[in-house]
Amino acid sequence: MTMPDLIFINIAMLAVGVAIGALLGETSRQHHDRQLFREYINFMTESEHNNELLFREVIRFQTEKGADHEKE
């Protein structure tokens, strides 16, 4: 092989390496993004559940308060 052929092969291998690295980096970033999204969804679900429990407790308290007020 001549020197220009070796240079061309080295450049081609470098380009393939960079392309593979970019693909792996994108895959890793996408995985990270999906994980963050899952955590966000779990947090929102838990938050909605807690809000629902709080709302029920407020309604119960208001109902009891109203019943106590009517007794007086």
Side-chain angles (χ1 to χ4, degrees), residues 10-37:
N10 286 338
I11 291 173
M13 287 175 54
L14 178 63
V16 169
V18 168
I20 290 171
L23 288 173
L24 290 176
E26 182 68 19
T27 301
S28 177
R29 194 184 97 230
Q30 287 174 343
H31 175 72
H32 179 70
D33 290 347
R34 281 192 301 273
Q35 180 62 31
L36 287 177
F37 184 70

